[in-house]
Amino acid sequence: DAKTTQPPSMDCAEGRAANLPCNHSTISGNEYVYWYRQIHSQGPQYIIHGLKNNETNEMASLIITEDRKSSTLILPHATLRDTAVYYCISNIEGQNFVFGPGTRLSVLP
Amino acid sequence: ETGVTQTPRHLVMGMTNKKSLKCEQHLGHNAMYWYKQSAKKPLELMFVYNFKEQTENNSVPSRFSPECPNSSHLFLHLHTLQPEDSALYLCASSQGQGAYGYTFGSGTRLTVV
């Protein structure tokens, strides 16, 4: 079973920031938080990951709370092509990734 | 180009057929995975190979038979499937088992008739 919980769906207006929350209240100290997304009928795509510090790359930013019990993925300027299912996963190296149902993000024109 | 190539993209097969799905990665990764994604369901891990050795079989029925001849290639042999086996089959690879940055292929959409 997935160890994270996410809202099943969210809407975001095109051009606005999309903030996708994830709850991982049972995360252990050596577990990373990973985010992937899956555009319809394609394979999931890696977005970003982090342990304690906030992270940013060309795709998104990841904000992890100080107690590490939750995190937020931020897409700063959502486009229609960001419409996808977003998966938040907590994992340690050596364990296989377990995907939950994710959040279905709809970016609206 | 994701670095993980799956063929065919689409497959329709009868319940008595035998077919194979192929996955190839050119990323130098050591671990490869098969996942199944049924309609409106999360991805389910089926098999894991690490350095060509199978390290996990997630209670998959024997009508699915994986093969990993080397670290770059992974096959899923199918025989006497059921209509409920219709799904998107995804292959992934990573540098080490469970390492970050899984790279997925585009999947094979399988329909069993």
Side-chain angles (χ1 to χ4, degrees), chain A residues 2-76:
Chain A
K3 295 175 287 186
T4 61
T5 55
Q6 301 175 250
S9 64
M10 292 181 65
D11 291 340
C12 176
E14 187 179 16
R16 303 297 294 269
N19 298 297
L20 292 94
C22 178
N23 186 305
H24 32 81
S25 57
T26 60
I27 195 169
S28 63
N30 56 353
E31 284 186 302
Y32 284 76
V33 178
Y34 298 83
W35 284 84
Y36 283 77
R37 75 179 182 184
Q38 186 176 23
I39 295 170
H40 181 63
S41 291
Q42 297 181 22
Q45 175 192 23
Y46 165 80
I47 301 173
I48 199 168
H49 75 289
L51 183 63
K52 290 189 290 188
N53 299 323
N54 299 337
E55 302 287 344
T56 295
N57 63 20
E58 65 279 3
M59 290 183 70
S61 295
L62 173 61
I63 307 299
I64 302 174
T65 58
E66 194 168 337
D67 63 7
R68 300 206 331 120
K69 293 184 184 298
S70 65
S71 60
T72 301
L73 178 76
I74 300 172
L75 308 178

Coordinates of all heavy atoms in Angstrom, one line a residue, chain A residues 2-76:
Chain A
A2 N 0.3 2.3 -0.7 CA 1.1 3.6 -0.7 C 1.1 4.1 0.7 O 0.2 4.0 1.5 CB 0.4 4.5 -1.7
K3 N 2.2 4.8 1.0 CA 2.4 5.4 2.3 C 2.1 6.9 2.3 O 2.4 7.6 3.3 CB 3.8 5.2 2.8 CG 4.1 3.7 3.0 CD 5.5 3.4 3.4 CE 6.4 3.6 2.2 NZ 7.8 3.3 2.5
T4 N 1.5 7.4 1.2 CA 1.2 8.8 1.1 C -0.3 9.0 0.8 O -0.9 8.1 0.3 CB 2.0 9.5 0.0 OG1 1.7 8.8 -1.2 CG2 3.5 9.3 0.3
T5 N -0.8 10.1 1.1 CA -2.2 10.4 0.8 C -2.2 11.8 0.0 O -1.5 12.7 0.4 CB -3.1 10.5 2.0 OG1 -2.6 11.4 2.9 CG2 -3.2 9.1 2.6
Q6 N -3.0 11.8 -1.0 CA -3.1 13.0 -1.9 C -4.6 13.2 -2.2 O -5.4 12.2 -2.3 CB -2.4 12.8 -3.2 CG -0.9 12.5 -3.1 CD -0.3 12.2 -4.4 OE1 0.1 11.0 -4.7 NE2 -0.2 13.2 -5.3
P7 N -5.0 14.4 -2.5 CA -6.4 14.6 -2.9 C -6.6 14.0 -4.3 O -5.7 13.9 -5.1 CB -6.5 16.2 -3.0 CG -5.1 16.6 -3.1 CD -4.3 15.7 -2.4
P8 N -7.8 13.4 -4.5 CA -8.0 12.7 -5.8 C -7.9 13.6 -7.0 O -7.5 13.1 -8.1 CB -9.4 12.1 -5.6 CG -10.0 12.8 -4.5 CD -9.0 13.3 -3.6
S9 N -8.3 14.8 -6.9 CA -8.3 15.7 -8.1 C -8.2 17.2 -7.6 O -8.5 17.5 -6.5 CB -9.6 15.5 -8.9 OG -10.8 15.9 -8.1
M10 N -7.7 18.0 -8.6 CA -7.6 19.4 -8.4 C -7.7 20.1 -9.7 O -7.4 19.5 -10.8 CB -6.2 19.8 -7.8 CG -6.0 19.3 -6.4 SD -4.3 19.8 -5.8 CE -4.5 21.6 -5.8
D11 N -8.2 21.3 -9.7 CA -8.2 22.1 -10.9 C -7.3 23.3 -10.7 O -7.1 23.8 -9.6 CB -9.6 22.7 -11.2 CG -10.6 21.6 -11.6 OD1 -10.1 20.5 -12.0 OD2 -11.8 21.8 -11.5
C12 N -6.8 23.8 -11.8 CA -5.9 25.0 -11.8 C -6.1 25.8 -13.1 O -6.2 25.2 -14.2 CB -4.4 24.6 -11.6 SG -3.2 25.9 -11.7
A13 N -6.1 27.1 -13.0 CA -6.3 27.9 -14.2 C -4.9 28.0 -14.9 O -3.9 28.1 -14.2 CB -6.8 29.3 -13.8
E14 N -5.0 28.0 -16.2 CA -3.8 28.1 -17.0 C -3.0 29.4 -16.6 O -3.6 30.5 -16.5 CB -4.1 28.1 -18.4 CG -3.0 28.0 -19.4 CD -3.4 28.0 -20.9 OE1 -4.6 28.3 -21.1 OE2 -2.6 27.6 -21.7
G15 N -1.7 29.3 -16.4 CA -0.9 30.4 -16.1 C -0.7 30.7 -14.6 O 0.2 31.4 -14.2
R16 N -1.6 30.0 -13.8 CA -1.5 30.2 -12.4 C -0.6 29.1 -11.8 O -0.3 28.1 -12.5 CB -2.8 30.1 -11.7 CG -3.8 31.1 -12.3 CD -3.4 32.6 -12.0 NE -3.4 32.9 -10.6 CZ -4.4 33.4 -10.0 NH1 -5.5 33.7 -10.6 NH2 -4.3 33.7 -8.7
A17 N -0.2 29.3 -10.6 CA 0.6 28.2 -9.9 C -0.3 27.1 -9.5 O -1.4 27.3 -9.0 CB 1.3 28.8 -8.7
A18 N 0.2 25.9 -9.7 CA -0.5 24.7 -9.2 C 0.2 24.2 -8.0 O 1.4 23.9 -8.1 CB -0.6 23.6 -10.3
N19 N -0.5 24.1 -6.9 CA 0.1 23.6 -5.6 C -0.5 22.2 -5.2 O -1.7 22.2 -4.9 CB -0.1 24.6 -4.5 CG 0.5 25.9 -4.8 OD1 1.7 26.0 -4.9 ND2 -0.3 27.0 -4.9
L20 N 0.2 21.2 -5.4 CA -0.3 19.9 -5.1 C 0.2 19.3 -3.8 O 1.4 19.1 -3.6 CB 0.1 18.9 -6.2 CG -0.5 19.2 -7.6 CD1 0.4 20.0 -8.5 CD2 -0.8 17.9 -8.3
P21 N -0.7 19.1 -2.8 CA -0.3 18.7 -1.5 C -0.1 17.1 -1.4 O -0.7 16.4 -2.2 CB -1.4 19.1 -0.6 CG -2.6 19.0 -1.5 CD -2.1 19.3 -2.9
C22 N 0.7 16.7 -0.4 CA 0.9 15.3 -0.2 C 1.1 15.1 1.3 O 1.9 15.9 1.9 CB 2.1 14.8 -1.0 SG 2.4 13.0 -0.7
N23 N 0.5 14.2 1.9 CA 0.6 13.9 3.3 C 1.4 12.6 3.4 O 1.1 11.6 2.9 CB -0.7 13.7 4.0 CG -0.6 13.6 5.5 OD1 0.0 12.7 5.9 ND2 -1.3 14.4 6.2
H24 N 2.5 12.6 4.2 CA 3.3 11.4 4.4 C 3.7 11.4 5.9 O 4.9 11.5 6.2 CB 4.6 11.4 3.5 CG 5.1 12.7 3.1 ND1 6.0 13.4 3.9 CD2 5.0 13.4 2.0 CE1 6.3 14.5 3.3 NE2 5.7 14.6 2.1
S25 N 2.7 11.3 6.8 CA 2.9 11.5 8.2 C 3.7 10.4 8.8 O 4.3 10.6 9.9 CB 1.5 11.6 8.9 OG 0.8 10.5 8.6
T26 N 3.9 9.3 8.2 CA 4.6 8.2 8.8 C 6.0 8.0 8.1 O 6.7 7.0 8.3 CB 3.9 6.8 8.6 OG1 3.7 6.6 7.2 CG2 2.5 6.9 9.3
I27 N 6.5 9.0 7.5 CA 7.7 9.0 6.8 C 8.9 8.8 7.7 O 8.9 9.4 8.8 CB 7.9 10.2 5.9 CG1 9.1 10.0 4.9 CG2 8.2 11.4 6.7 CD1 9.1 11.1 3.8
S28 N 9.8 7.9 7.4 CA 11.0 7.7 8.3 C 12.1 8.6 7.9 O 12.1 9.3 6.8 CB 11.4 6.3 8.2 OG 11.9 5.9 6.9
G29 N 13.1 8.7 8.7 CA 14.2 9.7 8.5 C 15.0 9.6 7.3 O 15.5 10.6 6.8
N30 N 15.1 8.4 6.8 CA 15.9 8.2 5.6 C 15.1 8.0 4.3 O 15.6 7.5 3.3 CB 16.8 7.0 5.8 CG 16.1 5.7 6.1 OD1 14.9 5.7 6.3 ND2 16.8 4.6 6.1
E31 N 13.8 8.3 4.4 CA 12.9 8.2 3.2 C 12.9 9.5 2.5 O 12.7 10.5 3.1 CB 11.5 7.7 3.6 CG 11.4 6.3 3.9 CD 9.9 5.9 4.1 OE1 9.3 6.5 5.0 OE2 9.4 5.0 3.4
Y32 N 13.0 9.4 1.2 CA 12.9 10.6 0.3 C 11.4 10.7 -0.1 O 10.7 9.8 -0.1 CB 13.8 10.4 -0.9 CG 15.2 10.6 -0.7 CD1 16.0 9.7 -0.1 CD2 15.9 11.8 -1.1 CE1 17.4 9.8 0.1 CE2 17.2 12.0 -0.9 CZ 18.0 11.0 -0.3 OH 19.3 11.2 -0.1
V33 N 11.1 11.9 -0.5 CA 9.8 12.2 -1.2 C 10.1 12.4 -2.7 O 10.9 13.2 -3.1 CB 9.1 13.4 -0.6 CG1 7.8 13.7 -1.3 CG2 8.9 13.3 0.9
Y34 N 9.4 11.6 -3.5 CA 9.5 11.7 -4.9 C 8.2 12.1 -5.5 O 7.1 11.8 -5.0 CB 9.8 10.3 -5.5 CG 11.1 9.7 -5.1 CD1 11.2 9.0 -3.8 CD2 12.2 9.8 -5.9 CE1 12.4 8.5 -3.4 CE2 13.4 9.3 -5.5 CZ 13.5 8.6 -4.2 OH 14.7 8.1 -3.8
W35 N 8.2 12.8 -6.6 CA 7.1 13.2 -7.4 C 7.3 12.7 -8.8 O 8.3 13.0 -9.4 CB 6.8 14.7 -7.3 CG 6.2 15.1 -6.1 CD1 6.8 15.5 -4.9 CD2 4.8 15.4 -5.8 NE1 5.9 15.9 -3.9 CE2 4.7 15.8 -4.5 CE3 3.6 15.2 -6.6 CZ2 3.5 16.1 -3.9 CZ3 2.4 15.5 -6.0 CH2 2.3 16.0 -4.7
Y36 N 6.2 12.1 -9.3 CA 6.1 11.7 -10.7 C 4.8 12.2 -11.3 O 3.9 12.4 -10.5 CB 6.2 10.1 -10.9 CG 7.5 9.5 -10.7 CD1 8.1 9.3 -9.4 CD2 8.3 9.1 -11.8 CE1 9.3 8.8 -9.3 CE2 9.5 8.5 -11.7 CZ 10.0 8.3 -10.4 OH 11.3 7.8 -10.3
R37 N 4.7 12.2 -12.6 CA 3.4 12.5 -13.2 C 3.2 11.6 -14.4 O 4.2 11.1 -15.0 CB 3.3 14.0 -13.6 CG 4.1 14.4 -14.9 CD 3.9 15.8 -15.2 NE 4.5 16.3 -16.4 CZ 4.5 17.5 -16.8 NH1 3.9 18.5 -16.1 NH2 5.2 17.8 -17.9
Q38 N 1.9 11.4 -14.7 CA 1.6 10.5 -15.8 C 0.5 11.2 -16.6 O -0.6 11.4 -16.2 CB 1.1 9.2 -15.3 CG 0.8 8.1 -16.4 CD 0.4 6.8 -15.8 OE1 -0.1 6.7 -14.7 NE2 0.5 5.7 -16.6
I39 N 1.0 11.5 -17.8 CA 0.1 12.1 -18.8 C -0.7 10.9 -19.4 O -0.1 9.9 -19.6 CB 0.8 13.0 -19.8 CG1 1.5 14.2 -19.1 CG2 0.0 13.4 -21.0 CD1 2.4 15.0 -19.9
H40 N -1.9 11.2 -19.8 CA -2.8 10.1 -20.2 C -2.1 9.0 -21.1 O -1.6 9.3 -22.1 CB -4.0 10.7 -21.0 CG -5.0 9.7 -21.4 ND1 -5.7 8.9 -20.5 CD2 -5.4 9.3 -22.6 CE1 -6.5 8.1 -21.2 NE2 -6.3 8.4 -22.5
S41 N -2.2 7.8 -20.6 CA -1.8 6.6 -21.3 C -0.3 6.6 -21.7 O 0.1 5.9 -22.6 CB -2.6 6.4 -22.6 OG -3.9 6.1 -22.3
Q42 N 0.5 7.4 -21.0 CA 1.9 7.3 -21.1 C 2.6 6.8 -19.9 O 1.9 6.7 -18.8 CB 2.5 8.7 -21.5 CG 2.0 9.3 -22.8 CD 2.7 10.6 -23.0 OE1 3.7 11.0 -22.5 NE2 2.0 11.4 -23.9
G43 N 3.9 6.5 -19.9 CA 4.5 6.1 -18.7 C 4.8 7.2 -17.8 O 4.9 8.4 -18.2
P44 N 4.8 7.0 -16.5 CA 5.1 8.1 -15.5 C 6.4 8.8 -15.8 O 7.4 8.1 -16.3 CB 5.1 7.4 -14.1 CG 4.2 6.2 -14.3 CD 4.5 5.8 -15.8
Q45 N 6.5 10.0 -15.5 CA 7.7 10.8 -15.7 C 8.2 11.4 -14.4 O 7.4 12.0 -13.6 CB 7.4 12.0 -16.7 CG 8.5 13.0 -16.9 CD 8.0 14.2 -17.6 OE1 6.8 14.6 -17.6 NE2 8.9 14.9 -18.3
Y46 N 9.5 11.2 -14.1 CA 10.1 11.8 -12.9 C 10.0 13.3 -12.9 O 10.3 13.9 -13.9 CB 11.5 11.3 -12.7 CG 12.3 12.0 -11.7 CD1 12.3 11.7 -10.4 CD2 13.2 13.0 -12.1 CE1 13.0 12.4 -9.4 CE2 14.0 13.7 -11.2 CZ 13.9 13.4 -9.9 OH 14.6 14.0 -8.9
I47 N 9.7 13.9 -11.8 CA 9.6 15.4 -11.7 C 10.7 15.9 -10.8 O 11.6 16.6 -11.2 CB 8.3 15.9 -11.2 CG1 7.1 15.4 -12.1 CG2 8.3 17.4 -11.1 CD1 5.8 15.8 -11.5
I48 N 10.7 15.4 -9.5 CA 11.6 16.0 -8.5 C 11.6 15.1 -7.3 O 10.7 14.3 -7.1 CB 11.2 17.4 -8.2 CG1 12.3 18.2 -7.5 CG2 9.9 17.4 -7.3 CD1 12.0 19.7 -7.4
H49 N 12.7 15.2 -6.5 CA 12.6 14.5 -5.2 C 13.4 15.3 -4.2 O 14.2 16.2 -4.5 CB 13.2 13.1 -5.3 CG 14.7 13.0 -5.5 ND1 15.3 13.3 -6.6 CD2 15.6 12.5 -4.6 CE1 16.6 13.1 -6.4 NE2 16.8 12.6 -5.2
G50 N 13.2 15.0 -2.9 CA 13.9 15.7 -1.8 C 13.9 14.9 -0.5 O 13.0 14.0 -0.4
L51 N 14.7 15.3 0.4 CA 14.8 14.6 1.7 C 14.3 15.6 2.8 O 13.3 15.3 3.5 CB 16.2 14.2 2.0 CG 16.4 13.4 3.3 CD1 15.6 12.1 3.2 CD2 17.9 13.1 3.5
K52 N 15.0 16.7 3.0 CA 14.6 17.6 4.0 C 14.5 19.0 3.5 O 13.6 19.8 3.8 CB 15.6 17.6 5.1 CG 15.7 16.3 6.0 CD 16.6 16.5 7.2 CE 18.0 16.5 6.8 NZ 18.9 16.5 7.9
N53 N 15.4 19.4 2.6 CA 15.4 20.7 2.1 C 14.5 20.9 0.9 O 14.1 20.0 0.2 CB 16.8 21.1 1.6 CG 17.8 21.0 2.8 OD1 17.5 21.3 3.9 ND2 19.0 20.5 2.5
N54 N 14.0 22.1 0.7 CA 13.2 22.5 -0.5 C 14.1 22.3 -1.7 O 15.3 22.5 -1.7 CB 12.7 23.9 -0.4 CG 11.8 24.0 0.8 OD1 11.2 23.1 1.3 ND2 11.6 25.3 1.3
E55 N 13.5 21.9 -2.8 CA 14.2 21.6 -4.0 C 13.5 22.3 -5.2 O 12.3 22.5 -5.2 CB 14.3 20.1 -4.3 CG 15.0 19.3 -3.2 CD 16.5 19.5 -3.2 OE1 17.0 20.0 -4.1 OE2 17.1 19.1 -2.1
T56 N 14.3 22.7 -6.1 CA 13.8 23.3 -7.4 C 14.5 22.8 -8.6 O 15.8 22.7 -8.5 CB 13.8 24.9 -7.3 OG1 13.0 25.3 -6.2 CG2 13.4 25.5 -8.6
N57 N 13.8 22.6 -9.6 CA 14.4 22.3 -10.9 C 13.6 23.0 -12.0 O 12.8 23.8 -11.7 CB 14.6 20.8 -11.1 CG 13.3 20.0 -11.2 OD1 12.2 20.6 -11.5 ND2 13.4 18.7 -11.0
E58 N 14.0 22.6 -13.2 CA 13.3 23.3 -14.3 C 11.8 23.0 -14.5 O 11.1 23.7 -15.1 CB 14.0 23.0 -15.6 CG 14.0 21.5 -16.1 CD 15.0 20.6 -15.4 OE1 15.7 21.1 -14.5 OE2 15.0 19.4 -15.7
M59 N 11.4 21.9 -13.8 CA 10.0 21.5 -13.9 C 9.1 22.1 -12.8 O 8.0 22.4 -13.0 CB 9.9 20.0 -14.0 CG 10.4 19.4 -15.2 SD 10.1 17.6 -15.2 CE 8.3 17.5 -15.4
A60 N 9.7 22.0 -11.6 CA 8.8 22.3 -10.4 C 9.7 22.6 -9.2 O 10.9 22.5 -9.2 CB 8.0 21.1 -10.1
S61 N 9.0 23.0 -8.1 CA 9.6 23.2 -6.8 C 8.9 22.2 -5.8 O 7.7 21.9 -6.0 CB 9.4 24.6 -6.3 OG 10.1 25.5 -7.1
L62 N 9.7 21.8 -4.9 CA 9.2 20.9 -3.9 C 9.4 21.5 -2.5 O 10.6 21.8 -2.2 CB 9.9 19.5 -3.9 CG 9.6 18.5 -2.8 CD1 8.1 18.1 -2.8 CD2 10.5 17.2 -3.0
I63 N 8.4 21.7 -1.8 CA 8.4 22.3 -0.4 C 8.1 21.2 0.6 O 7.0 20.6 0.5 CB 7.5 23.5 -0.3 CG1 7.6 24.5 -1.4 CG2 7.6 24.1 1.1 CD1 9.0 25.1 -1.5
I64 N 9.0 20.9 1.5 CA 8.8 19.9 2.5 C 8.8 20.6 3.8 O 9.6 21.4 4.2 CB 10.0 18.9 2.5 CG1 10.1 18.2 1.1 CG2 9.8 17.8 3.5 CD1 11.3 17.3 0.9
T65 N 7.7 20.2 4.6 CA 7.6 20.9 5.9 C 8.7 20.5 6.8 O 9.4 19.4 6.6 CB 6.2 20.5 6.6 OG1 6.2 19.1 6.7 CG2 5.1 21.0 5.7
E66 N 8.9 21.3 7.9 CA 10.1 21.0 8.7 C 10.0 19.7 9.4 O 11.0 19.0 9.6 CB 10.2 22.1 9.8 CG 11.5 22.1 10.5 CD 11.7 23.4 11.3 OE1 11.1 24.4 11.0 OE2 12.5 23.4 12.3
D67 N 8.8 19.2 9.8 CA 8.6 17.9 10.4 C 8.5 16.8 9.4 O 8.4 15.6 9.8 CB 7.3 17.9 11.3 CG 6.0 18.1 10.5 OD1 6.1 18.2 9.3 OD2 5.0 18.3 11.2
R68 N 8.6 17.1 8.1 CA 8.6 16.2 7.0 C 7.3 15.4 6.9 O 7.3 14.3 6.2 CB 9.8 15.2 7.1 CG 11.1 16.0 7.1 CD 12.3 15.2 6.5 NE 12.3 13.8 6.7 CZ 12.3 12.9 5.7 NH1 12.3 13.3 4.5 NH2 12.3 11.6 6.0
K69 N 6.3 15.8 7.5 CA 5.0 15.0 7.5 C 4.2 15.3 6.2 O 3.2 14.6 6.0 CB 4.2 15.2 8.7 CG 4.9 14.6 10.0 CD 4.0 14.7 11.2 CE 4.7 14.3 12.5 NZ 5.0 12.8 12.4
S70 N 4.6 16.4 5.6 CA 3.8 16.7 4.3 C 4.7 17.5 3.4 O 5.8 18.0 3.8 CB 2.6 17.5 4.7 OG 2.9 18.8 5.2
S71 N 4.3 17.6 2.2 CA 5.1 18.3 1.2 C 4.1 18.9 0.1 O 2.9 18.5 0.1 CB 6.1 17.5 0.5 OG 5.5 16.4 -0.2
T72 N 4.6 19.8 -0.7 CA 3.8 20.4 -1.7 C 4.6 20.5 -3.0 O 5.8 21.0 -2.9 CB 3.3 21.9 -1.3 OG1 2.5 21.8 -0.1 CG2 2.5 22.5 -2.4
L73 N 4.1 20.1 -4.0 CA 4.7 20.2 -5.4 C 4.1 21.5 -6.0 O 2.9 21.6 -6.0 CB 4.4 19.0 -6.3 CG 5.0 19.1 -7.7 CD1 6.5 18.9 -7.6 CD2 4.4 18.1 -8.6
I74 N 5.0 22.4 -6.5 CA 4.5 23.6 -7.1 C 4.9 23.7 -8.5 O 6.1 23.6 -8.8 CB 5.1 24.8 -6.3 CG1 4.7 24.8 -4.9 CG2 4.6 26.1 -7.0 CD1 5.3 25.9 -4.0
L75 N 3.9 23.8 -9.4 CA 4.2 24.1 -10.8 C 3.9 25.6 -11.0 O 2.8 26.0 -10.9 CB 3.3 23.3 -11.7 CG 3.2 21.8 -11.5 CD1 2.2 21.1 -12.4 CD2 4.6 21.1 -11.6
P76 N 5.0 26.4 -11.2 CA 4.8 27.8 -11.0 C 3.9 28.5 -12.0 O 3.2 29.4 -11.7 CB 6.2 28.4 -11.1 CG 7.0 27.3 -11.8 CD 6.3 26.0 -11.4

